Every structure is written in C-alpha cells, then in structure tokens.
Amino acid sequence: MSYYLFKRLLAIIPTLLGITVITFFMIKLAPGNPVSLKMQAAQGLKSEALSASVADETLKLYGLKVELPTYYEAWIHRTTAFLYGDDPKVDPKFSRRALEFLGQNFIQYKIWLTEMFQLNFGTSFKDHRPVWDKIKEALPITLALNLIEILIVYFISIPLGVFSAVRSDSFSDKTIMLLLFVLYSLPSFWVATLLLMYFAGGDHLNWFPIVGLLSDGAENFPFWKKLGNIAWHLVLPVTAMVYGSFAFLTRFSRTNILETLHQDYVRTALAKGLTFKRAVWHHAFRNSLIPLVTLMGTLLPALLGGSIIIEQIFAIPGMGRLAFESVLARDYPTIMAIAAISAFLTLISLLISDLAYVWVDPRVSFKAREVR
Amino acid sequence: MALILENHQAKKLKPPQEKSSYWAIVRRQFSRSWLNRIGLIIILAMGFVALVAPLLANSQPLYVRYEGKVYFPILQKIWPLTHLNLYPEIREWNFDKLEKKGADVRYTLVPYSPNDYDLESILLPPDEYHLLGTDEQGRDVLSRMIYGSRISLSVGFVAVGIYTLIGIIIGALAGFFGGRLDMLLSRLIEVVICFPTFFLILTILAIFGPSIYNIMIIIGLTGWTGIARLSRGEFLKLRDQDFVTACRSQGMKTRRIIFRHILPNALAPVLVSATFGIAAAILVESSLSFLGFGVQPPTPSWGDLLSQSRAFMDIAWWLTIFPGAAIFLTITSFNLVGEGLRDAIDPKLRR
C-alpha cells in the first residue's frame, strides 16, 4: 500500500509541474501588465509623465522584471558569438534578446513556483491585497457549497437509482428517467434566472432573497439564527447547482445497479432463498457503489467550474465569483493562483478517488494496480 | 419457456436483410425508439433553420411585383449576394407605401431582421405580429432567436470537430505506440484534465478578446481529453487483434494501419462522445454569452438574449422563457441522439 501510494504521489509531480508551467506561460502571453494598467489609469494626466524608469520600477515591484545573473549574461554572449560569429545575415541582437527573454521567464517562473509553495501568490493587481488572503476568504464558501451539494446529490440519487433499477422498464421507472433526462439537459443559468424570477420577489412569490449570503446586519446574529439566515440564502443557488449532477448521478447509479442485478452472484443469492430486498441491498447495491465512489473524484472539478456562473448570478463571494472578477479585471496574480489551486485540488481529488476505489473493492489490490 | 418465447419473437422479426453492414445495424437500432427519432428530427430542423435564417426572418420582402416587374428584395440581404447590387433601383423604396400604391408585396414568415429596432414597440408580449414578443429596443425575439441558432450550432459543430480531431490523433498515438510516448501523452492529458476548463476558457477569452471564432478554437483546444482517453483505450484494445497483425504481416505502413484499419473500428464510441460534446459545447457557448464573454452585440446569440433578459425579468417573461427553452431543446436533442447512438452501438444490447 505504501509503495503504491509513494508511486502515485511521485506521478503527481510532473503533472503539477506541467500545470504550473502552462499557467505561467499563459499569463506571460497575455497582453497588459501593471504598467500598462497604470498607463491607462494615468491617461487623464499625461502618459509621458510615466517615464521609462517608473515603468521599470513598477515591473520590478511586481516581480515582472528580474536581474539576470551575470554568468547567464556571459553565457548568452558566448553562445550568440559562437553560433553566429560575424555573420552579417543574422541579427545576433534578436537571438540575444530571445535568450534573455527565456532566462527572464525561467527565473520568474522559479521565483513564482517557490513562493507559491510558501502560499505566497503575490499581491492582486486590482486592490493590492495579498492574493492568498482573497482566496482564504473565498475558498471555504465554495468548498462548503460543494460539500452540501455532493451530500444532497448522493443522498437522494442513490436510493432513487436503486428504486428505478429494481422497477426497471415499469411506468414509474420510465417517468423518472425521462424527467431526469430533461433535468440533465436544463442549462443551470436559465434555471437560476427562472428561480430568481418566480421565487425571489417581483410579481411572483417572494420567498427567498435575490443575492448574497447574509442579510444586511446579520453578521451580529446569534449563531443559530445566522446559520438559518445563510441556509435561507442558499436554497436557490444550491437548487440551481444540484439538479444537474443529481440527474446525472441517478441515471448513473441506476445503470450500475441494473448491471449488478444481472450478475450471477445476485441470482445465486436469490436462489439460495434470500429475500429480494436483501439480495438488492446486501449484494447488488454494495457492488454497484464502486463506480460511484470513483465518480466523486471527477465530480469536484466540474462543480468548481460550474459554480462560476451560479455564484455570479447569486452574488455569492466564493471562488467562482473571485475567478470571474479577476478575469474581468485582468488580475493576473489572482488568476494564476486560482488556476493553480483548482488544478491542485482536482489532482488531490483524483488521487483520493483512486485510493477509495481500492478501499471499496477488496478485489483490487494496490500491488496489482500499476501506475500509469 | 424462454426457448418458446424466442421462437415466437423470431417469427415476428423480418427476415435479415441482404446487406447488413455495421452502420446499417446501428441505424436500425437507433430508429427503434421514437425519442431518438424526435431528437434527430429536432436537430435537423434546427440545422435547417440556421442554414436558411435570412430566408426565414428578414425585413426585406421576399417578393414584390410592381408595375409588371418582379423583384426579390430579400436577395440583397443574403450574404454572398450582398455584394452584387442586384436591384440598384429599389434601394430607396419604402415597401409600405408601395403596397398602398397597389404593389404585391410578400414577406417572409418573420418579417423582421434581428437587429431592426423599433422604439415604438418595445417589450411587447407575444402577439400575432411578434410571435415571441419584442425586447427592450423593440427587436423581434423570434427573429433574433432564429439567427442565434446559427451561433449555437456552428460553435457546437466546429468546436467539437476540432477537439475530436485532436483527441483522435493524440489518443491514437498514445494507444498504438504505447511505451514512453503513451506515458508522456497520458501526463499531458492529465494536466489538461486538471485545469478548470470553464475558467481557462474565460481567461483565454479575456486575453484574446471574445469572438465566436475564439470560442470555437478555445473549446476545441481544451475539450479533447475525453476523446483522447476514449480513443487511446480503443487503440490499446485493437492494436493486438488479429486483423492488425495481418496488416503488419503484409508490410503495411503504420499510418495506413492506424487510419484505414484501426480508426474505423474505434470510431463508434468517439462519435457518441462527440454528440454529447456538441451539447456541452452549446451549453458552454451560451454560458459564455450569458456572462458577456460570447459573441459581441448586436449579433444575437441565445445566451446573450437570456443575459439581456435579466434586467426585465419582472415585466417581460417572454424574454427569459423562449431563449432558455431554445438552448434547452437543442441540448436535449443532442443528448437524446447521443444516448440513442450509444445504445445502438453497444454490442451488449444488440440482439
């Protein structure tokens, strides 16, 4: 087990490196940096006022320009001289600049990576707060939201899937499946808009608040009342987030249970005189859980992505909203941090589901599973 | 008992057809369910509407007969013909006045262009003139939705086309050659899977600017992992089969083996995945438009219509209901067809 875990953890390293490299260069390719943002802001004054030295200083302040080590400079000089010599047809300046650019980026990447491992993601371009602080505020909200959602989804959809599978091809099964199919295809932002339209004020039912996580002045409520207030605010967003994965999971668990119901061991169980109920719950159901466990790992990233639009609609200050706002503001340090953190979380959840798979299914041993 | 039943059913079945190719069987299996057929019909109808959108919704009359001459003013508005300057004399005509003078003027089904604003008829509920109502600038919602179908469907097909191609190539390379290349490509797939796709798309759109072509390309470049894993698995399974060995023993080139012999056998599950992918891509496009990162106004797209409607949620339900229903209907149809195809190619279900 520990050997498998060790190998599995080792396999994470190249993936993590790949993720950070892509994130880094994606942002590097992006036009616009704090200097140009400042230029835009200072356009009312006079753009020449922002002299080259100020621009240079700003770049250094944000770690966007670093001093190249002297040995690297010397190496560039030697290499270009060696490669191109006095050939007038090539422009050694260009290749020198390219090498300098590479070196700059490599050093910046190294700095960014080491700082990231110390949870130092730099300061936001937008409001000059440390990025990690912003994430620390937003991440628990999104994680809690997703946890609630996953719990609800699993608690309803698995029994419903069993119910449907046991009565497969009956009228109730067909109705449930068709209904779930419809639910699965409903775009969540449309549902969210409709929920807002019909349940949150306007001419219709005014049951729930439109946006936010807390009512005005609710910060000072006693604990239970505050919790109740939050729950009241969460009804609509959670509904809008839940139904899609709910429909998906129910259909999924139905197929799985149907498959296990046709297995020989279930027939054997019935043949030796077990009641149908016992055969279903003790023999078929347990085995059908295996794919459901692995699915949980893949569900999490989808939920994180899906919450961008829902959090935006309901103005919930979670990761999705933070992500969207930093994209709008071209706040690259925050964008990089969010991309890296969500990718990391996804990797972890994939790992967990991998381990859980072995844990649930005793037939699978860690030794037999090879690391791809 | 079972035997008798089988015999009984066997009598009812038609005699097997002479030419029962793989795809013929799939087609027969697919069209068994009425739901599948409806899904396919809706998709084809949507595709038709998107193709002939200018002929369905246009403020220019379809046909005018005036003083013994026949004109088709609508032709001026259809894309490659716009440059021809077909009827220079009718550019300035006012067809309403012309009709009063006794001309025979016939309009299309929806006599409004998607961007024709009319400030005298803003936020009108559905009636006999504006079948699905009008928006805050008096533009006809039905007309805008007809043109919006072009955006949704083209994004769906092009984006999925791009990523199916990428996915098949990467999956085929990884699965067929195995070894180090497989390990490398599997790592690459893992890296791309780990990225939050929607966030990635948003970021890249913010960098390169939102436009329909960028959306197609970006969805295409980020969505290929599913197909790649699928085709990798298929290639892994197929590469050791006898027909591949037979090809090898004939001295066939690797490229020929991959594309002419293994690929056709691996294509069916990829096709199913691509069908679901189109639904997902349409959803992503409308979500992006909803967030304001989609096609830029005034070009209509379903997500954008829905997003505009939020300001008038309380007073104009038709602005919210109809575009959302269109997105929903399209996604459902693609999902239906995907499910039908999946069941049709699944050998376990075939009798």
Side-chain angles (χ1 to χ4, degrees):
Chain A
M1 155 101 196
S2 55
Y3 177 66
Y4 173 77
L5 199 65
F6 178 68
K7 266 183 94 173
R8 192 69 183 71
L9 283 173
L10 265 189
I12 277 187
I13 294 173
T15 315
L16 255 182
L17 276 180
I19 288 167
T20 49
V21 167
I22 290 181
T23 318
F24 183 78
F25 279 99
M26 197 176 75
I27 298 303
K28 278 286 139 184
L29 283 175
N33 53 37
V35 179
S36 60
L37 286 179
K38 262 192 185 165
M39 292 276 220
Q40 276 172 7
Q43 233 161 33
L45 300 170
K46 205 173 186 188
S47 37
E48 293 108 74
L50 216 67
S51 68
S53 69
V54 175
D56 223 44
E57 234 162 70
T58 321
L59 280 179
K60 274 183 189 157
L61 182 72
Y62 285 100
L64 294 172
K65 191 166 186 180
V66 287
E67 298 282 335
L68 285 174
T70 41
Y71 64 84
Y72 186 72
E73 301 250 21
W75 179 79
I76 290 175
H77 196 75
R78 255 183 295 136
T79 320
T80 44
F82 173 73
L83 282 178
Y84 303 113
D86 307 322
D87 192 351
K89 268 181 279 178
V90 274
D91 178 14
K93 251 188 200 162
F94 173 74
S95 34
R96 193 170 297 156
R97 237 184 300 151
L99 282 175
E100 266 172 14
F101 178 77
L102 269 182
Q104 279 268 352
N105 277 321
F106 181 72
I107 292 173
Q108 282 173 37
Y109 171 71
K110 225 172 70 184
I111 294 173
W112 179 66
L113 202 65
T114 39
E115 289 200 338
M116 200 180 71
F117 278 113
Q118 298 157 7
L119 294 179
N120 177 10
F121 294 98
T123 49
S124 158
F125 286 176
K126 197 176 148 202
D127 49 11
H128 301 284
R129 286 179 58 205
V131 172
W132 178 238
D133 283 2
K134 295 174 97 171
I135 287 173
K136 256 197 308 198
E137 284 165 18
L139 192 59
I141 296 174
T142 298
L143 283 183
L145 216 61
N146 283 321
L147 202 70
I148 295 172
E149 189 191 340
I150 289 181
L151 280 181
I152 294 178
V153 165
Y154 270 75
F155 269 104
I156 306 178
S157 60
I158 292 177
L160 198 64
V162 176
F163 176 88
S164 220
V166 170
R167 288 166 186 73
S168 66
D169 286 334
S170 71
F171 178 71
S172 56
D173 171 49
K174 278 184 178 161
T175 326
I176 291 176
M177 282 307 119
L178 194 67
L179 219 77
L180 288 177
F181 188 83
V182 169
L183 273 186
Y184 177 63
S185 308
L186 274 174
S188 66
F189 54 94
W190 187 44
V191 171
T193 318
L194 289 181
L195 284 174
L196 278 177
M197 193 160 133
Y198 287 109
F199 292 106
D203 299 334
H204 305 280
L205 302 167
N206 192 4
W207 286 355
F208 298 105
I210 299 177
V211 290
L213 213 53
L214 270 175
S215 305
D216 281 340
E219 280 95 25
N220 305 323
F221 279 3
F223 179 73
W224 288 112
K225 207 175 165 193
K226 194 172 167 184
L227 205 67
N229 192 283
I230 293 178
W232 182 54
H233 277 79
L234 283 184
V235 173
L236 293 186
V238 167
T239 315
M241 278 167 83
V242 150
Y243 72 88
S245 29
F246 160 71
F248 173 73
L249 207 74
T250 311
R251 291 161 59 78
F252 190 76
S253 70
R254 176 182 175 270
T255 343
N256 275 317
I257 289 169
L258 259 184
E259 231 163 65
T260 42
L261 277 179
H262 289 299
Q263 297 284 325
D264 288 342
Y265 57 80
V266 176
R267 202 188 307 149
T268 314
L270 286 172
K272 74 182 185 191
L274 285 190
T275 57
F276 186 67
K277 208 170 163 185
R278 200 173 162 79
V280 167
W281 286 106
H282 276 246
H283 294 261
F285 173 65
R286 287 190 173 192
N287 283 300
S288 73
L289 276 182
I290 295 163
L292 285 175
V293 169
T294 35
L295 197 71
M296 202 174 329
T298 49
L299 212 58
L300 189 69
L303 292 181
L304 279 175
S307 54
I308 290 184
I309 200 156
I310 295 294
E311 284 182 9
Q312 189 55 32
I313 293 174
F314 289 99
I316 296 169
M319 286 286 272
R321 195 172 153 84
L322 181 65
F324 186 64
E325 281 178 350
S326 43
V327 166
L328 276 186
R330 310 276 194 282
D331 186 357
Y332 295 131
T334 319
I335 294 176
M336 282 159 92
I338 292 174
I341 288 177
S342 350
F344 181 68
L345 282 181
T346 312
L347 255 184
I348 296 289
S349 62
L350 284 179
L351 177 71
I352 291 175
S353 74
D354 228 33
L355 295 179
Y357 184 67
V358 185
W359 176 61
V360 203
D361 192 348
R363 285 170 303 181
V364 183
S365 70
F366 282 111
K367 264 185 199 155
R369 281 173 69 80
E370 55 170 314
V371 178
R372 232 198 316 117
Chain B
M1 174 70 187
L3 204 75
I4 298 169
L5 253 177
E6 267 173 28
N7 271 336
H8 181 65
Q9 279 173 345
K11 268 177 209 160
K12 276 206 293 187
L13 286 176
K14 287 174 213 158
Q17 289 161 356
E18 281 292 302
K19 273 170 76 181
S20 248
S21 74
Y22 177 69
W23 292 105
I25 298 171
V26 167
R27 199 186 309 155
R28 210 161 48 239
Q29 286 283 339
F30 178 82
S31 48
R32 261 193 188 161
S33 160
W34 58 274
L35 271 175
N36 297 346
R37 290 201 298 267
I38 286 184
L40 195 63
I41 287 169
I42 293 177
I43 290 175
L44 290 177
M46 289 261 183
F48 178 74
V49 166
L51 259 172
V52 299
L55 286 177
L56 285 177
N58 213 314
S59 55
Q60 293 283 316
L62 188 65
Y63 161 90
V64 174
R65 205 172 61 201
Y66 181 57
E67 293 176 345
K69 266 181 152 182
V70 173
Y71 304 94
F72 297 99
I74 201 169
L75 294 180
Q76 303 179 105
K77 293 282 175 182
I78 294 173
W79 169 62
L81 305 177
T82 42
H83 302 291
L84 287 182
N85 203 6
L86 283 172
Y87 308 109
E89 68 269 29
I90 65 170
R91 270 279 149 80
E92 309 297 323
W93 284 4
N94 182 333
F95 294 106
D96 287 344
K97 279 183 190 163
L98 218 61
E99 207 169 358
K100 277 174 198 149
K101 280 191 204 161
D104 187 9
V105 182
R106 299 278 168 81
Y107 286 94
T108 51
L109 280 176
V110 185
Y112 306 98
S113 285
N115 296 324
D116 283 355
Y117 60 89
D118 175 7
L119 296 179
E120 280 170 16
S121 53
I122 55 170
L123 294 174
L124 288 180
D127 59 21
E128 58 200 289
Y129 300 111
H130 298 279
L131 290 178
L132 300 184
T134 61
D135 68 0
E136 76 279 5
Q137 293 182 35
R139 295 175 293 196
D140 185 66
V141 173
L142 180 56
S143 165
R144 289 180 75 70
M145 276 173 57
I146 287 174
Y147 280 80
S149 68
R150 297 185 129 186
I151 306 283
S152 287
L153 290 182
S154 57
V155 166
F157 278 102
V158 175
V160 172
I162 293 173
Y163 79 56
T164 306
L165 205 68
I166 300 176
I168 285 179
I169 289 173
I170 289 187
L173 289 178
F176 187 80
F177 293 108
R180 278 208 185 146
L181 187 65
D182 181 26
M183 207 186 72
L184 205 75
L185 290 175
S186 292
R187 281 284 95 75
L188 182 70
I189 293 174
E190 204 175 84
V191 168
V192 178
I193 284 179
C194 280
F195 267 106
T197 320
F198 192 70
F199 179 53
L200 190 69
I201 294 173
L202 266 183
T203 312
I204 301 176
L205 277 181
I207 294 171
F208 292 104
S211 83
I212 180 175
Y213 304 107
N214 284 351
I215 292 179
M216 288 171 181
I217 293 169
I218 294 165
I219 297 180
L221 288 182
T222 52
W224 50 268
T225 50
I227 302 258
R229 290 171 85 182
L230 208 67
S231 55
R232 174 183 172 273
E234 289 290 314
F235 269 80
L236 265 180
K237 201 171 70 192
L238 291 170
R239 70 167 180 187
D240 294 328
Q241 291 208 346
D242 290 343
F243 72 92
V244 180
T245 321
C247 290
R248 281 228 180 89
S249 67
Q250 288 175 1
M252 237 176 240
K253 276 183 186 153
T254 313
R255 198 176 53 201
R256 194 178 161 85
I257 298 177
I258 290 180
F259 288 108
R260 298 294 293 273
H261 292 269
I262 304 185
L263 190 59
N265 287 297
L267 215 54
V270 169
L271 197 69
V272 174
S273 181
T275 314
F276 287 121
I278 293 176
I282 290 175
L283 187 65
V284 168
E285 186 276 325
S286 49
S287 310
L288 288 170
S289 296
F290 186 78
L291 288 174
F293 275 81
V295 189
Q296 292 306 294
T299 314
S301 91
W302 292 340
D304 186 51
L305 289 180
L306 205 52
S307 139
Q308 301 295 319
S309 79
R310 287 180 70 202
F312 309 97
M313 216 158 59
D314 295 335
I315 45 175
W317 56 269
W318 56 94
L319 290 182
T320 311
I321 300 288
F322 296 124
I327 299 172
F328 165 63
L329 201 67
T330 316
I331 294 176
T332 314
S333 313
F334 276 105
N335 281 339
L336 270 178
V337 169
E339 293 232 323
L341 267 182
R342 189 180 59 198
D343 292 347
I345 64 162
D346 193 349
K348 270 185 281 180
L349 290 170
R350 192 172 304 144
R351 266 158 282 177

